[in-house]
Amino acid sequence: GANWNLGLLDATCGGGSAALFASWDWENDRSAWAACDRDGALYRTANRGMNWDVVDVPGIGAMSLTAAPNGERVFLGTIDGLYISENDGPLELAAFDDMQIQSLAISPQWADGDRTLYAIIANGGWYISEDGGDSWSALTNLPSENYALSVAVSPDFGTDGIVAVAGYDGAYLSHDRGKTWAWLNTLELHEETSPQVVLEGEWYQ
């Protein structure tokens, strides 16, 4: 991150790139996905960003994005529901119709059979899917009813079950896949920006 260059999608998205996700298996599959905030146009690169191909254009503004290795399933969160693309196929509305999908996170151990995903909904709901997005359940015993903005999972989520959520009143951590939560800290609120969960250095245990 010491130096940055404008990406190939900047002009295509009109300066409005909404979401970017680099595969957890980046070293091997060289894949990443990006989406535009205006029409949700979903792009994929399989050569670390040298070239991008359009997957589909749902015509709905994108908010969040995550994907399984090699694009087996790509999950696009929009202002009007969750869309799924299977193996670079067309995006299909799969869940949360008429809801804004603020943030998504996927288990890094998908290739090992862990099909867990998390979704943060703009109305305050925190959801989990344990079958690759086929069905969703609302997490209970939430530590806060305030607006949540970001969710992230540990690189070793498949074994440690660590998931974090950040929002307007701070950040929360779970060591049991979201069954119970511990308050981490109060985030300094800047209304013009969105608090995010970011991994720097070693994952907090």
Side-chain angles (χ1 to χ4, degrees):
N3 299 289
W4 294 83
N5 296 311
L6 288 176
L8 296 175
L9 294 182
D10 289 297
T12 303
C13 284
S17 299
L20 176 68
F21 179 77
S23 171
W24 281 107
D25 197 30
W26 170 266
E27 184 176 352
N28 297 311
D29 64 30
R30 299 172 177 262
S31 292
W33 292 263
C36 302
D37 67 353
R38 296 179 181 177
D39 59 5
L42 176 64
Y43 294 84
R44 178 185 180 178
T45 178
N47 57 9
R48 302 196 179 197
M50 295 298 295
N51 304 100
W52 293 83
D53 296 312
V54 63
V55 177
D56 198 6
V57 183
I60 301 172
M63 294 291 298
S64 52
L65 176 63
T66 195
N70 290 313
E72 177 182 336
R73 276 195 169 186
V74 179
F75 303 86
L76 180 67
T78 75
I79 60 174
D80 197 23
L82 177 67
Y83 287 73
I84 296 178
S85 167
E86 303 238 19
N87 298 310
D88 292 330
L91 288 160
E92 302 286 348
L93 180 62
F96 308 115
D97 191 16
D98 293 326
M99 297 182 183
Q100 180 170 300
I101 315 303
Q102 196 70 33
S103 183
L104 293 164
I106 190 171
S107 171
Q109 283 71 49
W110 177 285
D112 297 326
D114 187 349
R115 298 296 197 263
T116 305
L117 295 116
Y118 293 91
I120 299 296
I121 310 302
N123 67 2
W126 304 8
Y127 289 82
I128 184 173
S129 172
E130 296 180 286
D131 55 11
D134 290 335
S135 63
W136 294 83
S137 302
L139 291 173
T140 58
N141 302 315
L142 297 186
S144 171
E145 296 298 328
N146 288 331
Y147 198 40
L149 291 167
S150 182
V151 60
V153 297
S154 161
D156 296 316
F157 174 82
T159 55
D160 63 29
I162 296 177
V163 56
V165 170
Y168 278 101
D169 61 349
Y172 296 88
L173 192 73
S174 172
H175 285 82
D176 53 14
R177 295 175 171 251
K179 295 182 178 65
T180 59
W181 298 87
W183 181 78
L184 288 179
N185 68 306
T186 299
L187 301 176
E188 182 179 353
L189 176 62
H190 296 273
E191 192 62 32
E192 70 277 9
T193 63
S194 297
Q196 298 288 324
V197 175
V198 178
L199 174 63
E200 292 185 4
E202 297 297 321
W203 183 262
Y204 176 77
Q205 297 289 336

